[in-house]
Amino acid sequence: MTAASMLFSCSMNVGVSNPKMASKASACCLLNRPMSCSKSILSCGLFGVSEKSKLLCRASALHVESVPSFSVGQKFQFDDVIEAQQFDRETLSAIFEVARSMENIRNNSSGSQMLKGYLMATLFYEPSTRTRLSFESAMKRLGGDVLTTENAREFSSASKGETLEDTIRTVEGYSDIIVLRHFESGAARRAAATANIPVINAGDGPGQHPSQALLDVYTIEREIGKLDGIKVGLVGDLANGRTVRSLAYLLAKYRDVKFYFVSPNVVKMKDDIKEYLTSKGVEWEESSDLLEVASKCDVVYQTRIQKERFGENINLYEEARGKYIVNKDVLKVMQNHAVVMHPLPRLDEIEVEVDSDPRAAYFRQAKNGLYIRMALLKVLLLGW
């Protein structure tokens, strides 16, 4: 077992109070919140104590040379999860370590009670199946409870004209963490600026989807065995696809990664991502030949042409739809170790006959979302 594995295995039932609340509430209020950590670890992690107490804390914790930035009881360094740019490689590796521990919890029929007493509110202004259900499943598998609203754009007080900020102020009074999906880019950042509890961006219009990007990178590492030196083909709606934007930001943190952008002209990758990759020294190129790109890549990441982003421009949607499809011809040119991924849902951009190929990783990818979201809930609410 690695030092990092030992650390996170031992820290699964040790935590600290909500770090966002910690910065805005008194110690007395914090101690009234549900938690499973010892007072000595809590004191060491958040509040000033004597040198003697600090030494006792250190003596009772694991000494891990390889991951000095993360220790048992230490708070997560982010109050919210809003965008992929928040994460560095060290933090990503630590989150993935927690996610692997969560796989063990998932496989244990008795589950875990580490988040017992905590409430998560899922506030979704756009339709969702995988993201909403995986977050709710994650919370319940860790012993927490869920308050949920689906299609909040139509069935919440937003339909009466209530602002997002007022909704967030209300919902935070009922819950300990908010998972928000919204139709406007930047909505998650507005929510986080308003809330005194953690906010997780579950997709904000054509902006970002950071938890999807985390599970995508986690999946690539598990399927390919590495993240440095890989070639990734991003295919489909690259202009409106928040998943590919977030994925590009995360993979840019690894060495010798190359991107190929394959898309219809009306939904090409936007310049801000291209400029960001260039600024980080990440190689990219655009191509119109999916077969050629598929033959070179470790990952073919297919996306749906998003009809809902075209508004009344249905003619542009029809122009883009069906131009690039992953089928058996694509599989024939792919390398044996390569994989096909998709954030789902799919329409006709991956043919059903591809599903039986072992390189079709998209349903395994969706399952990995549960482990990543369990990990995020754990570190946001309890710390490392």
Side-chain angles (χ1 to χ4, degrees):
M1 180 180 288
T2 65
S5 299
M6 292 173 62
L7 169 63
F8 289 113
S9 176
C10 291
S11 68
M12 283 296 96
N13 289 307
V14 180
V16 300
S17 273
N18 178 336
K20 193 167 187 178
M21 291 294 288
S23 65
K24 300 183 180 180
S26 69
C28 293
C29 291
L30 286 167
L31 291 173
N32 288 328
R33 292 173 57 80
M35 65 185 73
S36 59
C37 59
S38 69
K39 289 183 180 179
S40 63
I41 294 294
L42 176 63
S43 300
C44 195
L46 280 180
F47 306 111
V49 291
S50 67
E51 286 302 314
K52 183 178 180 181
S53 297
K54 289 179 182 177
L55 289 172
L56 288 172
C57 276
R58 295 192 190 105
S60 64
L62 284 173
H63 179 66
V64 182
E65 293 284 344
S66 60
V67 282
S69 297
F70 307 106
S71 59
V72 174
Q74 182 182 1
K75 72 177 184 178
F76 189 50
Q77 61 266 52
F78 305 120
D79 292 336
D80 312 284
V81 173
I82 304 301
E83 60 184 12
Q85 298 95 303
Q86 291 176 252
F87 302 97
D88 58 24
R89 287 186 60 149
E90 184 182 23
T91 307
L92 290 172
S93 294
I95 290 172
F96 296 163
E97 197 75 51
V98 178
R100 282 187 281 274
S101 298
M102 293 303 167
E103 291 192 38
N104 296 329
I105 291 176
R106 163 65 177 80
N107 295 330
N108 185 343
S109 59
S110 62
S112 169
Q113 294 299 308
M114 70 173 65
L115 294 185
K116 184 177 181 180
Y118 284 94
L119 276 170
M120 177 185 74
T122 50
L123 191 58
F124 279 59
Y125 288 80
E126 282 189 328
S128 171
T129 301
R130 278 150 297 278
T131 303
R132 184 171 67 87
L133 292 182
S134 66
F135 266 114
E136 293 179 5
S137 176
M139 191 65 173
K140 288 181 176 292
R141 288 186 180 279
L142 294 177
D145 289 309
V146 174
L147 303 172
T148 185
T149 176
E150 188 176 13
N151 198 4
R153 187 176 189 175
E154 183 177 350
F155 295 118
S156 76
S157 292
S159 64
K160 304 174 184 178
E162 182 175 57
T163 66
L164 175 64
E165 285 77 7
D166 281 2
T167 299
I168 293 298
R169 290 188 184 100
T170 301
V171 173
E172 75 172 351
Y174 309 146
S175 58
D176 300 293
I177 188 168
I178 295 172
V179 179
L180 175 70
R181 169 166 289 187
H182 204 276
F183 50 89
E184 292 180 353
S185 181
R189 186 176 296 281
R190 287 166 51 203
T194 301
N196 289 312
I197 62 175
V199 172
I200 298 178
N201 180 6
D204 57 342
Q208 285 210 43
H209 196 346
S211 68
Q212 177 71 47
L214 288 168
L215 75 90
D216 289 342
V217 175
Y218 183 66
T219 299
I220 293 170
E221 183 181 55
R222 292 180 70 79
E223 296 283 337
I224 305 300
K226 63 177 183 177
L227 291 167
D228 291 316
I230 62 172
K231 296 179 180 179
V232 180
L234 301 181
V235 186
D237 191 342
L238 307 187
N240 300 305
R242 56 196 171 203
T243 63
V244 292
R245 293 173 59 82
S246 294
L247 181 59
Y249 280 125
L250 278 193
L251 286 180
K253 302 178 186 302
Y254 295 89
R255 294 187 296 273
D256 301 322
V257 172
K258 181 172 182 178
F259 288 99
Y260 295 88
F261 301 142
V262 183
S263 64
N265 288 330
V266 295
V267 286
K268 284 185 174 294
M269 181 62 81
K270 293 181 179 178
D271 289 341
D272 64 328
I273 295 294
K274 296 175 184 176
E275 291 167 3
Y276 179 84
L277 294 175
T278 299
S279 72
K280 297 297 181 181
V282 179
E283 191 176 355
W284 60 268
E285 68 177 68
E286 293 182 309
S287 175
S288 59
D289 191 334
L290 176 57
L291 290 177
E292 181 184 3
V293 168
S295 69
K296 300 175 180 178
C297 286
D298 303 285
V299 178
V300 175
Y301 192 100
Q302 177 70 286
T303 64
R304 172 178 63 93
I305 304 297
Q306 300 183 43
K307 184 177 181 180
E308 65 271 24
R309 308 293 180 201
F310 284 82
E312 297 179 356
N313 298 317
I314 299 301
N315 59 320
L316 294 179
Y317 168 72
E318 294 297 339
E319 178 185 335
R321 182 184 175 188
K323 187 165 186 180
Y324 295 107
I325 295 176
V326 174
N327 52 27
K328 285 194 172 180
D329 291 335
V330 173
L331 292 177
K332 287 177 183 177
V333 302
M334 287 177 59
Q335 301 173 74
N336 289 334
H337 75 275
V339 292
V340 178
M341 294 174 62
H342 193 304
L344 302 176
R346 66 171 167 184
L347 299 180
D348 55 1
E349 63 274 3
I350 298 180
E351 293 188 354
V352 175
E353 63 184 5
V354 174
D355 295 356
S356 60
D357 192 288
R359 292 169 293 180
Y362 29 90
F363 292 115
R364 298 192 295 273
Q365 177 186 354
K367 188 175 182 179
N368 287 335
L370 173 64
Y371 310 132
I372 286 293
R373 286 159 181 149
M374 289 172 73
L376 288 178
L377 292 173
K378 193 271 176 185
V379 296
L380 280 168
L381 288 170
L382 299 181
W384 295 112

